[in-house]
Amino acid sequence: MSLPSGLRRAVTASAARGEKWLIALDFDGTLARLRRARSAARLPHGRRLMLQRLGRLPGVRVVIVSGRELADLRRRCRIRGAALSGEHGMSLTGFGRAWSHPATARLHRESAALAAAASRLTLGMPGVEIERKRTSVSVHWRKAPAVRRDPEGLGRALSGLLRSGWRLAGGKCVWELRPGLARGKGDAILLAQRRLGPGARVLFIGDDATDEEGFRKLGRAAWTVRVGPGETAARWRVAGPVDVDALLVELSTARRQAGLSSSTSRTRPRSSTRRAPQR
Ligand SMILES: [Mg+2]
Protein backbone atom coordinates (compact mmCIF):
# COMPACT_ATOMS: atom_id res chain seq x y z
CA MET A 1 0.00 0.00 0.00
CA SER A 2 1.18 3.53 -0.59
CA LEU A 3 -0.17 6.84 0.55
CA PRO A 4 -2.97 8.35 -1.57
CA SER A 5 -1.06 10.57 -4.01
CA GLY A 6 -2.77 13.83 -3.00
CA LEU A 7 -1.96 13.18 0.64
CA ARG A 8 1.65 12.31 -0.20
CA ARG A 9 2.11 15.60 -2.05
CA ALA A 10 0.55 17.55 0.84
CA VAL A 11 2.71 15.75 3.41
CA THR A 12 5.94 16.26 1.47
CA ALA A 13 5.26 19.96 0.87
CA SER A 14 4.29 20.52 4.51
CA ALA A 15 7.38 18.69 5.79
CA ALA A 16 9.58 20.81 3.51
CA ARG A 17 8.02 23.97 4.96
CA GLY A 18 8.77 22.65 8.45
CA GLU A 19 5.12 22.81 9.57
CA LYS A 20 4.18 21.27 12.90
CA TRP A 21 1.99 18.15 12.71
CA LEU A 22 -0.62 16.84 15.10
CA ILE A 23 -1.34 13.23 14.19
CA ALA A 24 -4.70 12.16 15.65
CA LEU A 25 -5.82 8.53 15.50
CA ASP A 26 -8.89 6.63 16.59
CA PHE A 27 -8.18 3.38 18.48
CA ASP A 28 -10.64 0.53 17.71
CA GLY A 29 -10.67 -0.38 14.03
CA THR A 30 -7.89 2.10 13.25
CA LEU A 31 -4.94 1.17 15.49
CA ALA A 32 -6.38 -2.05 16.90
CA ARG A 33 -8.17 -4.68 14.87
CA LEU A 34 -11.87 -4.99 15.79
CA ARG A 35 -12.35 -8.11 17.91
CA ARG A 36 -15.45 -10.04 18.91
CA ALA A 37 -14.73 -9.15 22.53
CA ARG A 38 -13.92 -5.45 22.98
CA SER A 39 -11.60 -6.33 25.86
CA ALA A 40 -9.43 -8.25 23.36
CA ALA A 41 -8.55 -5.16 21.28
CA ARG A 42 -4.78 -4.67 21.40
CA LEU A 43 -2.34 -2.15 19.99
CA PRO A 44 0.36 -4.26 18.29
CA HIS A 45 3.81 -3.66 19.78
CA GLY A 46 5.39 -2.62 16.46
CA ARG A 47 2.67 -0.04 15.86
CA ARG A 48 3.13 1.31 19.40
CA LEU A 49 6.86 1.79 18.81
CA MET A 50 6.21 3.44 15.47
CA LEU A 51 3.82 5.95 17.05
CA GLN A 52 6.28 6.59 19.85
CA ARG A 53 9.11 7.31 17.38
CA LEU A 54 6.87 9.48 15.22
CA GLY A 55 5.80 11.56 18.22
CA ARG A 56 9.46 12.16 19.10
CA LEU A 57 10.37 13.68 15.74
CA PRO A 58 10.82 17.46 15.94
CA GLY A 59 7.54 19.24 15.27
CA VAL A 60 5.40 16.08 15.42
CA ARG A 61 2.94 15.12 18.18
CA VAL A 62 0.46 12.25 18.47
CA VAL A 63 -2.98 12.14 20.09
CA ILE A 64 -5.27 9.09 20.35
CA VAL A 65 -8.99 9.92 20.30
CA SER A 66 -11.44 7.20 21.27
CA GLY A 67 -14.90 6.48 22.59
CA ARG A 68 -13.28 4.41 25.34
CA GLU A 69 -12.84 5.78 28.84
CA LEU A 70 -9.50 7.45 29.43
CA ALA A 71 -8.27 4.85 31.95
CA ASP A 72 -9.08 2.00 29.55
CA LEU A 73 -7.43 3.82 26.66
CA ARG A 74 -4.30 4.53 28.73
CA ARG A 75 -3.95 0.82 29.59
CA ARG A 76 -4.26 -0.21 25.96
CA CYS A 77 -2.09 2.48 24.33
CA ARG A 78 0.99 3.06 26.54
CA ILE A 79 2.53 5.32 23.88
CA ARG A 80 5.08 7.54 25.60
CA GLY A 81 4.61 11.22 24.83
CA ALA A 82 1.19 10.83 23.19
CA ALA A 83 -1.90 12.69 24.39
CA LEU A 84 -5.16 10.79 24.91
CA SER A 85 -8.77 11.85 24.52
CA GLY A 86 -11.54 9.59 25.82
CA GLU A 87 -15.32 9.30 25.49
CA HIS A 88 -15.66 10.99 22.12
CA GLY A 89 -13.88 14.21 23.00
CA MET A 90 -15.15 14.64 26.57
CA SER A 91 -11.62 14.52 28.05
CA LEU A 92 -8.02 15.21 27.09
CA THR A 93 -4.81 14.39 28.85
CA GLY A 94 -1.44 15.50 27.48
CA PHE A 95 0.14 18.64 26.02
CA GLY A 96 -0.68 20.54 29.23
CA ARG A 97 -3.19 20.22 32.05
CA ALA A 98 -5.67 17.35 32.00
CA TRP A 99 -9.06 18.57 30.83
CA SER A 100 -12.54 17.13 31.13
CA HIS A 101 -15.87 18.59 30.08
CA PRO A 102 -17.43 20.73 32.87
CA ALA A 103 -20.68 18.72 32.70
CA THR A 104 -18.86 15.45 33.48
CA ALA A 105 -20.15 15.07 37.07
CA ARG A 106 -23.79 15.62 36.09
CA LEU A 107 -23.51 13.32 33.08
CA HIS A 108 -21.92 10.66 35.26
CA ARG A 109 -24.98 10.69 37.53
CA GLU A 110 -27.38 10.61 34.59
CA SER A 111 -25.52 7.83 32.81
CA ALA A 112 -26.08 5.57 35.84
CA ALA A 113 -29.86 5.75 35.41
CA LEU A 114 -29.57 5.27 31.65
CA ALA A 115 -27.30 2.25 32.01
CA ALA A 116 -29.74 0.66 34.47
CA ALA A 117 -32.67 1.27 32.12
CA ALA A 118 -30.71 -0.13 29.16
CA SER A 119 -29.83 -3.24 31.20
CA ARG A 120 -33.51 -3.84 32.01
CA LEU A 121 -34.48 -3.29 28.38
CA THR A 122 -31.97 -5.83 27.06
CA LEU A 123 -32.49 -8.53 29.72
CA GLY A 124 -34.02 -10.89 27.15
CA MET A 125 -31.32 -10.26 24.54
CA PRO A 126 -28.40 -12.64 25.16
CA GLY A 127 -25.02 -11.28 24.13
CA VAL A 128 -25.82 -7.59 24.61
CA GLU A 129 -23.25 -5.82 26.80
CA ILE A 130 -23.95 -2.56 28.57
CA GLU A 131 -20.91 -0.42 29.25
CA ARG A 132 -21.43 2.53 31.54
CA LYS A 133 -18.82 5.21 31.05
CA ARG A 134 -18.34 8.51 32.85
CA THR A 135 -20.38 10.55 30.41
CA SER A 136 -22.13 8.02 28.17
CA VAL A 137 -23.45 4.48 27.90
CA SER A 138 -22.47 2.03 25.16
CA VAL A 139 -24.78 -0.85 24.26
CA HIS A 140 -22.63 -3.41 22.41
CA TRP A 141 -24.44 -5.98 20.30
CA ARG A 142 -21.65 -7.66 18.31
CA LYS A 143 -22.24 -10.91 20.24
CA ALA A 144 -26.07 -10.73 20.27
CA PRO A 145 -27.51 -12.77 17.38
CA ALA A 146 -31.07 -11.47 17.79
CA VAL A 147 -29.91 -7.85 17.64
CA ARG A 148 -27.61 -8.48 14.68
CA ARG A 149 -30.74 -9.41 12.72
CA ASP A 150 -32.47 -6.14 13.63
CA PRO A 151 -30.13 -3.52 15.13
CA GLU A 152 -32.53 -0.71 14.25
CA GLY A 153 -35.17 -2.32 16.48
CA LEU A 154 -32.83 -2.06 19.46
CA GLY A 155 -32.00 1.52 18.46
CA ARG A 156 -35.67 2.50 18.49
CA ALA A 157 -36.17 0.90 21.90
CA LEU A 158 -33.11 2.67 23.31
CA SER A 159 -34.33 6.00 21.91
CA GLY A 160 -37.37 5.61 24.15
CA LEU A 161 -35.10 5.66 27.23
CA LEU A 162 -33.44 8.96 26.45
CA ARG A 163 -34.22 11.93 28.64
CA SER A 164 -33.86 15.41 27.27
CA GLY A 165 -30.26 16.43 26.69
CA TRP A 166 -29.23 12.96 25.49
CA ARG A 167 -29.02 11.45 22.03
CA LEU A 168 -28.56 8.08 20.38
CA ALA A 169 -25.64 7.51 18.01
CA GLY A 170 -24.78 4.36 16.07
CA GLY A 171 -21.35 2.81 15.54
CA LYS A 172 -19.93 -0.55 14.52
CA CYS A 173 -22.08 -3.08 16.43
CA VAL A 174 -22.81 -0.51 19.13
CA TRP A 175 -25.46 2.01 20.08
CA GLU A 176 -24.13 4.93 22.08
CA LEU A 177 -26.31 6.91 24.48
CA ARG A 178 -24.44 10.18 24.42
CA PRO A 179 -25.00 13.65 25.84
CA GLY A 180 -26.68 15.96 23.36
CA LEU A 181 -23.81 18.42 23.69
CA ALA A 182 -22.30 19.50 20.42
CA ARG A 183 -19.03 17.88 21.44
CA GLY A 184 -17.06 15.18 19.68
CA LYS A 185 -13.64 13.90 18.72
CA GLY A 186 -13.10 16.87 16.38
CA ASP A 187 -13.39 19.27 19.32
CA ALA A 188 -10.80 17.34 21.33
CA ILE A 189 -8.43 17.38 18.35
CA LEU A 190 -8.89 21.14 17.97
CA LEU A 191 -8.16 21.60 21.68
CA ALA A 192 -4.98 19.53 21.34
CA GLN A 193 -4.05 21.57 18.26
CA ARG A 194 -4.46 24.86 20.16
CA ARG A 195 -2.19 23.51 22.90
CA LEU A 196 0.58 22.95 20.36
CA GLY A 197 0.47 26.60 19.34
CA PRO A 198 -0.44 28.21 16.05
CA GLY A 199 0.08 26.54 12.73
CA ALA A 200 -0.02 22.86 13.66
CA ARG A 201 -1.40 20.82 10.76
CA VAL A 202 -3.88 18.10 11.76
CA LEU A 203 -3.98 14.61 10.30
CA PHE A 204 -6.93 12.59 11.61
CA ILE A 205 -7.34 8.88 10.86
CA GLY A 206 -10.51 6.99 11.87
CA ASP A 207 -12.95 4.30 10.82
CA ASP A 208 -16.38 4.85 12.37
CA ALA A 209 -19.38 7.15 12.73
CA THR A 210 -17.89 9.29 15.51
CA ASP A 211 -14.77 9.78 13.38
CA GLU A 212 -17.01 10.97 10.56
CA GLU A 213 -18.31 13.67 12.93
CA GLY A 214 -14.67 14.58 13.49
CA PHE A 215 -13.88 14.68 9.77
CA ARG A 216 -16.76 17.09 9.22
CA LYS A 217 -15.78 19.25 12.19
CA LEU A 218 -12.16 19.56 11.08
CA GLY A 219 -13.09 20.26 7.47
CA ARG A 220 -10.73 20.83 4.58
CA ALA A 221 -8.07 22.50 6.72
CA ALA A 222 -7.14 19.05 8.04
CA TRP A 223 -5.84 15.92 6.35
CA THR A 224 -8.56 13.37 7.04
CA VAL A 225 -8.28 9.66 6.29
CA ARG A 226 -11.03 7.04 6.53
CA VAL A 227 -9.95 3.49 7.36
CA GLY A 228 -12.05 0.88 5.53
CA PRO A 229 -15.15 1.05 3.35
CA GLY A 230 -18.30 3.11 3.75
CA GLU A 231 -19.45 6.61 2.96
CA THR A 232 -17.09 9.22 4.28
CA ALA A 233 -16.49 12.92 4.71
CA ALA A 234 -12.73 12.24 4.86
CA ARG A 235 -10.52 13.42 2.02
CA TRP A 236 -8.67 10.13 1.63
CA ARG A 237 -9.12 6.45 2.42
CA VAL A 238 -6.97 3.43 3.31
CA ALA A 239 -8.12 -0.19 3.54
CA GLY A 240 -7.36 -1.23 7.14
CA PRO A 241 -5.14 -0.93 10.25
CA VAL A 242 -2.20 -2.53 8.43
CA ASP A 243 -2.32 0.31 5.89
CA VAL A 244 -2.19 2.76 8.78
CA ASP A 245 1.32 1.37 9.47
CA ALA A 246 2.39 2.17 5.92
CA LEU A 247 0.95 5.64 6.29
CA LEU A 248 2.84 6.23 9.55
CA VAL A 249 6.07 5.05 7.93
CA GLU A 250 5.59 7.45 5.02
CA LEU A 251 4.91 10.34 7.39
CA SER A 252 8.02 9.54 9.35
CA THR A 253 10.12 9.24 6.19
CA ALA A 254 8.84 12.56 4.78
CA ARG A 255 9.66 14.27 8.05
CA ARG A 256 13.15 12.79 8.33
CA GLN A 257 14.00 13.58 4.71
CA ALA A 258 12.83 17.18 5.10
CA GLY A 259 14.88 17.42 8.30
CA LEU A 260 17.98 16.03 6.57
CA SER A 261 17.72 18.30 3.54
CA SER A 262 17.21 21.40 5.68
CA SER A 263 20.18 20.49 7.90
CA THR A 264 22.30 19.78 4.78
CA SER A 265 21.41 23.15 3.26
CA ARG A 266 22.23 24.82 6.57
CA THR A 267 25.63 23.15 6.92
CA ARG A 268 26.78 23.26 3.27
CA PRO A 269 28.10 26.88 3.29
CA ARG A 270 29.95 26.32 6.57
CA SER A 271 31.63 23.10 5.41
CA SER A 272 32.77 24.62 2.11
CA THR A 273 34.28 27.52 4.06
CA ARG A 274 36.16 25.09 6.31
CA ARG A 275 37.44 23.11 3.36
CA ALA A 276 38.65 26.11 1.44
CA PRO A 277 42.12 26.48 3.08
CA GLN A 278 43.03 22.83 2.28
CA ARG A 279 42.71 23.35 -1.49
MG1 LIG B 1 -12.98 3.13 15.57
Side-chain angles (χ1 to χ4, degrees), residues 111-145:
S111 72
L114 267 178
S119 294
R120 284 193 296 276
L121 178 81
T122 56
L123 265 182
M125 302 178 194
V128 169
E129 289 171 19
I130 310 293
E131 182 191 8
R132 182 197 169 197
K133 299 187 272 195
R134 282 198 315 162
T135 60
S136 61
V137 178
S138 297
V139 180
H140 302 278
W141 49 267
R142 187 177 296 275
K143 294 188 280 182

Short mmCIF file of all heavy atoms in Angstrom, two decimals, residues 111-145:
data_model
loop_
_atom_site.label_atom_id
_atom_site.label_comp_id
_atom_site.label_asym_id
_atom_site.label_seq_id
_atom_site.Cartn_x
_atom_site.Cartn_y
_atom_site.Cartn_z
N SER A 111 -25.84 9.05 33.56
CA SER A 111 -25.52 7.83 32.81
C SER A 111 -25.80 6.58 33.64
O SER A 111 -26.07 5.52 33.09
CB SER A 111 -24.06 7.85 32.34
OG SER A 111 -23.17 7.65 33.41
N ALA A 112 -25.78 6.73 34.98
CA ALA A 112 -26.08 5.57 35.84
C ALA A 112 -27.52 5.12 35.62
O ALA A 112 -27.80 3.92 35.45
CB ALA A 112 -25.86 5.94 37.31
N ALA A 113 -28.45 6.08 35.60
CA ALA A 113 -29.86 5.75 35.41
C ALA A 113 -30.09 5.18 34.01
O ALA A 113 -30.85 4.21 33.83
CB ALA A 113 -30.71 7.01 35.61
N LEU A 114 -29.41 5.75 33.03
CA LEU A 114 -29.57 5.27 31.65
C LEU A 114 -29.03 3.85 31.50
O LEU A 114 -29.65 3.01 30.82
CB LEU A 114 -28.81 6.19 30.70
CG LEU A 114 -29.59 7.33 30.09
CD1 LEU A 114 -28.68 8.17 29.21
CD2 LEU A 114 -30.77 6.81 29.26
N ALA A 115 -27.90 3.59 32.11
CA ALA A 115 -27.30 2.25 32.01
C ALA A 115 -28.22 1.22 32.66
O ALA A 115 -28.41 0.11 32.12
CB ALA A 115 -25.93 2.23 32.67
N ALA A 116 -28.83 1.59 33.79
CA ALA A 116 -29.74 0.66 34.47
C ALA A 116 -30.96 0.39 33.60
O ALA A 116 -31.40 -0.76 33.45
CB ALA A 116 -30.16 1.25 35.82
N ALA A 117 -31.49 1.44 32.98
CA ALA A 117 -32.67 1.27 32.12
C ALA A 117 -32.32 0.43 30.89
O ALA A 117 -33.10 -0.43 30.47
CB ALA A 117 -33.19 2.65 31.69
N ALA A 118 -31.13 0.65 30.33
CA ALA A 118 -30.71 -0.13 29.16
C ALA A 118 -30.51 -1.60 29.53
O ALA A 118 -30.82 -2.50 28.75
CB ALA A 118 -29.43 0.46 28.58
N SER A 119 -30.01 -1.85 30.74
CA SER A 119 -29.83 -3.24 31.20
C SER A 119 -31.18 -3.93 31.31
O SER A 119 -31.33 -5.09 30.89
CB SER A 119 -29.15 -3.27 32.58
OG SER A 119 -27.86 -2.79 32.46
N ARG A 120 -32.17 -3.23 31.88
CA ARG A 120 -33.51 -3.84 32.01
C ARG A 120 -34.09 -4.11 30.62
O ARG A 120 -34.63 -5.18 30.36
CB ARG A 120 -34.44 -2.90 32.79
CG ARG A 120 -34.17 -2.88 34.30
CD ARG A 120 -35.32 -2.19 35.06
NE ARG A 120 -35.45 -0.78 34.73
CZ ARG A 120 -34.72 0.20 35.30
NH1 ARG A 120 -33.84 -0.07 36.24
NH2 ARG A 120 -34.90 1.46 34.93
N LEU A 121 -33.92 -3.16 29.73
CA LEU A 121 -34.48 -3.29 28.38
C LEU A 121 -33.92 -4.50 27.63
O LEU A 121 -34.62 -5.16 26.86
CB LEU A 121 -34.18 -2.01 27.58
CG LEU A 121 -34.66 -2.00 26.13
CD1 LEU A 121 -36.15 -1.65 26.08
CD2 LEU A 121 -33.87 -1.00 25.30
N THR A 122 -32.64 -4.79 27.86
CA THR A 122 -31.97 -5.83 27.06
C THR A 122 -31.84 -7.16 27.82
O THR A 122 -31.09 -8.04 27.38
CB THR A 122 -30.57 -5.34 26.63
OG1 THR A 122 -29.83 -4.96 27.81
CG2 THR A 122 -30.66 -4.14 25.71
N LEU A 123 -32.57 -7.29 28.93
CA LEU A 123 -32.49 -8.53 29.72
C LEU A 123 -32.73 -9.78 28.87
O LEU A 123 -32.05 -10.79 29.03
CB LEU A 123 -33.53 -8.48 30.86
CG LEU A 123 -33.03 -7.99 32.21
CD1 LEU A 123 -34.14 -8.04 33.24
CD2 LEU A 123 -31.81 -8.79 32.66
N GLY A 124 -33.69 -9.72 27.97
CA GLY A 124 -34.02 -10.89 27.15
C GLY A 124 -33.23 -10.96 25.86
O GLY A 124 -33.67 -11.62 24.91
N MET A 125 -32.12 -10.27 25.78
CA MET A 125 -31.32 -10.26 24.54
C MET A 125 -29.91 -10.77 24.84
O MET A 125 -29.01 -9.98 25.11
CB MET A 125 -31.23 -8.84 23.96
CG MET A 125 -32.57 -8.20 23.66
SD MET A 125 -32.31 -6.50 23.04
CE MET A 125 -33.98 -5.85 23.19
N PRO A 126 -29.72 -12.09 24.80
CA PRO A 126 -28.40 -12.64 25.16
C PRO A 126 -27.30 -12.07 24.27
O PRO A 126 -27.50 -11.91 23.06
CB PRO A 126 -28.56 -14.15 24.92
CG PRO A 126 -29.98 -14.39 24.57
CD PRO A 126 -30.69 -13.10 24.39
N GLY A 127 -26.18 -11.77 24.89
CA GLY A 127 -25.02 -11.28 24.13
C GLY A 127 -24.87 -9.78 24.14
O GLY A 127 -23.81 -9.25 23.80
N VAL A 128 -25.93 -9.05 24.54
CA VAL A 128 -25.82 -7.59 24.61
C VAL A 128 -24.98 -7.22 25.84
O VAL A 128 -25.16 -7.79 26.91
CB VAL A 128 -27.21 -6.93 24.70
CG1 VAL A 128 -27.09 -5.45 25.03
CG2 VAL A 128 -27.96 -7.10 23.38
N GLU A 129 -24.07 -6.28 25.66
CA GLU A 129 -23.25 -5.82 26.80
C GLU A 129 -23.47 -4.33 27.00
O GLU A 129 -23.37 -3.55 26.05
CB GLU A 129 -21.75 -6.05 26.52
CG GLU A 129 -21.35 -7.50 26.56
CD GLU A 129 -19.92 -7.70 26.06
OE1 GLU A 129 -19.14 -6.72 26.04
OE2 GLU A 129 -19.61 -8.83 25.67
N ILE A 130 -23.76 -3.97 28.24
CA ILE A 130 -23.95 -2.56 28.57
C ILE A 130 -22.67 -2.05 29.22
O ILE A 130 -22.20 -2.62 30.20
CB ILE A 130 -25.11 -2.37 29.59
CG1 ILE A 130 -26.37 -3.11 29.14
CG2 ILE A 130 -25.37 -0.89 29.86
CD1 ILE A 130 -27.01 -2.56 27.90
N GLU A 131 -22.12 -1.00 28.67
CA GLU A 131 -20.91 -0.42 29.25
C GLU A 131 -21.23 0.99 29.72
O GLU A 131 -21.53 1.88 28.92
CB GLU A 131 -19.81 -0.36 28.18
CG GLU A 131 -18.51 0.19 28.69
CD GLU A 131 -17.50 0.49 27.57
OE1 GLU A 131 -17.88 0.41 26.38
OE2 GLU A 131 -16.36 0.83 27.89
N ARG A 132 -21.19 1.18 31.03
CA ARG A 132 -21.43 2.53 31.54
C ARG A 132 -20.09 3.26 31.63
O ARG A 132 -19.16 2.79 32.27
CB ARG A 132 -22.07 2.46 32.94
CG ARG A 132 -22.36 3.85 33.46
CD ARG A 132 -22.61 3.88 34.94
NE ARG A 132 -22.62 5.26 35.41
CZ ARG A 132 -22.49 5.60 36.67
NH1 ARG A 132 -22.33 4.67 37.60
NH2 ARG A 132 -22.50 6.87 37.02
N LYS A 133 -20.03 4.40 30.99
CA LYS A 133 -18.82 5.21 31.05
C LYS A 133 -19.12 6.47 31.85
O LYS A 133 -20.24 6.65 32.32
CB LYS A 133 -18.35 5.52 29.63
CG LYS A 133 -18.01 4.24 28.87
CD LYS A 133 -17.38 4.49 27.53
CE LYS A 133 -18.41 4.65 26.46
NZ LYS A 133 -17.84 4.54 25.10
N ARG A 134 -18.12 7.33 32.00
CA ARG A 134 -18.34 8.51 32.85
C ARG A 134 -19.42 9.41 32.28
O ARG A 134 -20.23 9.96 33.01
CB ARG A 134 -17.04 9.30 32.99
CG ARG A 134 -16.06 8.67 33.97
CD ARG A 134 -15.03 9.66 34.42
NE ARG A 134 -14.50 10.43 33.31
CZ ARG A 134 -13.84 11.58 33.43
NH1 ARG A 134 -13.64 12.09 34.62
NH2 ARG A 134 -13.37 12.21 32.37
N THR A 135 -19.45 9.57 30.97
CA THR A 135 -20.38 10.55 30.41
C THR A 135 -21.26 9.95 29.31
O THR A 135 -21.89 10.70 28.56
CB THR A 135 -19.60 11.74 29.80
OG1 THR A 135 -18.75 11.22 28.77
CG2 THR A 135 -18.76 12.45 30.83
N SER A 136 -21.30 8.64 29.21
CA SER A 136 -22.13 8.02 28.17
C SER A 136 -22.34 6.55 28.50
O SER A 136 -21.75 6.03 29.45
CB SER A 136 -21.46 8.15 26.80
OG SER A 136 -20.21 7.49 26.80
N VAL A 137 -23.21 5.92 27.72
CA VAL A 137 -23.45 4.48 27.90
C VAL A 137 -23.34 3.84 26.52
O VAL A 137 -23.92 4.33 25.55
CB VAL A 137 -24.86 4.21 28.47
CG1 VAL A 137 -25.11 2.71 28.60
CG2 VAL A 137 -25.03 4.90 29.83
N SER A 138 -22.57 2.75 26.42
CA SER A 138 -22.47 2.03 25.16
C SER A 138 -23.22 0.71 25.29
O SER A 138 -23.06 -0.01 26.27
CB SER A 138 -21.01 1.72 24.82
OG SER A 138 -20.30 2.93 24.66
N VAL A 139 -24.05 0.43 24.29
CA VAL A 139 -24.78 -0.85 24.26
C VAL A 139 -24.19 -1.64 23.10
O VAL A 139 -24.46 -1.37 21.93
CB VAL A 139 -26.29 -0.59 24.06
CG1 VAL A 139 -27.05 -1.91 24.04
CG2 VAL A 139 -26.82 0.33 25.17
N HIS A 140 -23.34 -2.62 23.44
CA HIS A 140 -22.63 -3.41 22.41
C HIS A 140 -23.46 -4.62 22.02
O HIS A 140 -23.93 -5.35 22.89
CB HIS A 140 -21.28 -3.88 22.97
CG HIS A 140 -20.40 -2.76 23.43
ND1 HIS A 140 -19.63 -2.03 22.56
CD2 HIS A 140 -20.20 -2.22 24.67
CE1 HIS A 140 -18.96 -1.10 23.25
NE2 HIS A 140 -19.30 -1.20 24.52
N TRP A 141 -23.62 -4.84 20.73
CA TRP A 141 -24.44 -5.98 20.30
C TRP A 141 -23.73 -6.91 19.32
O TRP A 141 -24.34 -7.75 18.69
CB TRP A 141 -25.78 -5.49 19.73
CG TRP A 141 -25.68 -4.39 18.71
CD1 TRP A 141 -25.76 -3.05 18.94
CD2 TRP A 141 -25.49 -4.54 17.30
NE1 TRP A 141 -25.62 -2.35 17.77
CE2 TRP A 141 -25.46 -3.23 16.74
CE3 TRP A 141 -25.34 -5.63 16.44
CZ2 TRP A 141 -25.29 -3.01 15.37
CZ3 TRP A 141 -25.18 -5.41 15.08
CH2 TRP A 141 -25.15 -4.11 14.57
N ARG A 142 -22.41 -6.80 19.23
CA ARG A 142 -21.65 -7.66 18.31
C ARG A 142 -21.91 -9.14 18.59
O ARG A 142 -21.96 -9.96 17.68
CB ARG A 142 -20.15 -7.35 18.47
CG ARG A 142 -19.24 -8.04 17.45
CD ARG A 142 -17.79 -7.62 17.64
NE ARG A 142 -17.59 -6.21 17.38
CZ ARG A 142 -17.39 -5.67 16.17
NH1 ARG A 142 -17.34 -6.45 15.12
NH2 ARG A 142 -17.23 -4.39 16.03
N LYS A 143 -22.09 -9.49 19.88
CA LYS A 143 -22.24 -10.91 20.24
C LYS A 143 -23.69 -11.29 20.49
O LYS A 143 -23.97 -12.30 21.13
CB LYS A 143 -21.39 -11.20 21.49
CG LYS A 143 -19.90 -11.06 21.20
CD LYS A 143 -19.04 -11.54 22.36
CE LYS A 143 -18.94 -10.50 23.45
NZ LYS A 143 -18.09 -10.91 24.57
N ALA A 144 -24.64 -10.46 20.03
CA ALA A 144 -26.07 -10.73 20.27
C ALA A 144 -26.76 -11.07 18.95
O ALA A 144 -27.11 -10.17 18.19
CB ALA A 144 -26.72 -9.50 20.91
N PRO A 145 -26.96 -12.36 18.68
CA PRO A 145 -27.51 -12.77 17.38
C PRO A 145 -28.86 -12.12 17.06
O PRO A 145 -29.08 -11.68 15.93
CB PRO A 145 -27.66 -14.30 17.51
CG PRO A 145 -26.89 -14.68 18.72
CD PRO A 145 -26.69 -13.48 19.57
#
